[in-house]
Amino acid sequence: MGRTASILLGATALAALGGAASPVVAQCRLCAAPTTANKPADARDAIKLEIESSVNFDRLVLFGEGDGSALIKPDGSRSAGGAVANLGPRAMVGSAVIRGEPGRIVRVDLPGRIALHSAGGGTISFDQVTSDLPALPRLDGNGRLSFRFGGRILIRGDAEGDYRGGLPITVEYP
């Protein structure tokens, strides 16, 4: 009889104001009150990342004590191998929306690997994080860009339990 592991991977949104630094303005030596503070970023420079859904491997059926893996690709395709016999029917990719200045190019950083933890102290890895972003992501005319992301769960040994973790995603203007 198989054992099960339930895995939910929440994405953490980290958005940064990017782009070139604010222009340097020389101070007038004749001015009464010189300032050295940077100008605040314009509202048009704001960038926001919204996570619409998290990666969810639902329930994995585990057979034996060996290594196994489950993969969910950004297109929704999925596979299992090794000691992982099957993914649950509700397994799904993560999805996010970037909002910012229309037409701007953005840089999106996804981590290569993170650890997921269970309440019982177990740890498994989530790696091979991929997305369906184009090579040069750009916000559309409405200042919006949607993308999906997935990856691979790598299980070693006895990994029965519920696993959770956060996937930090950073977005900025280059």
Side-chain angles (χ1 to χ4, degrees):
M1 179 161 197
R3 299 167 290 125
T4 63
S6 178
I7 300 165
L8 174 64
L9 182 67
T12 305
L14 301 174
L17 293 178
S22 297
V24 177
V25 179
Q27 294 180 12
C28 171
R29 293 182 185 190
L30 302 174
C31 298
T35 63
T36 58
N38 287 337
K39 291 183 179 181
D42 293 337
R44 66 179 178 83
D45 288 338
I47 190 168
K48 184 175 181 181
L49 175 64
E50 298 171 11
I51 304 302
E52 293 185 324
S53 64
S54 296
V55 176
N56 188 343
F57 283 83
D58 192 27
R59 295 194 187 282
L60 303 177
V61 177
L62 309 173
F63 284 100
E65 299 292 323
D67 297 349
S69 65
L71 176 70
I72 297 179
K73 294 183 179 178
D75 65 5
S77 62
R78 52 193 189 186
S79 62
V84 177
N86 194 8
L87 277 80
R90 294 177 299 201
M92 58 188 242
V93 300
S95 63
V97 176
I98 303 168
R99 297 180 196 282
E101 185 179 346
R104 290 281 304 261
I105 294 173
V106 293
R107 182 174 57 230
V108 180
D109 292 323
L110 298 166
R113 173 184 295 256
I114 64 165
L116 304 177
H117 303 280
S118 72
T123 302
I124 60 176
S125 294
F126 180 74
D127 64 3
Q128 296 183 5
V129 182
T130 58
S131 75
D132 62 0
L133 284 165
L136 192 60
R138 180 183 301 269
L139 301 178
D140 66 14
N142 294 320
R144 188 174 190 280
L145 175 63
S146 297
F147 68 96
R148 294 168 46 146
F149 53 94
R152 178 182 74 158
I153 291 291
L154 185 59
I155 299 170
R156 297 189 190 281
D158 185 13
E160 189 171 353
D162 292 331
Y163 289 85
R164 298 189 184 284
L167 179 71
I169 300 174
T170 304
V171 178
E172 60 187 355
Y173 296 125

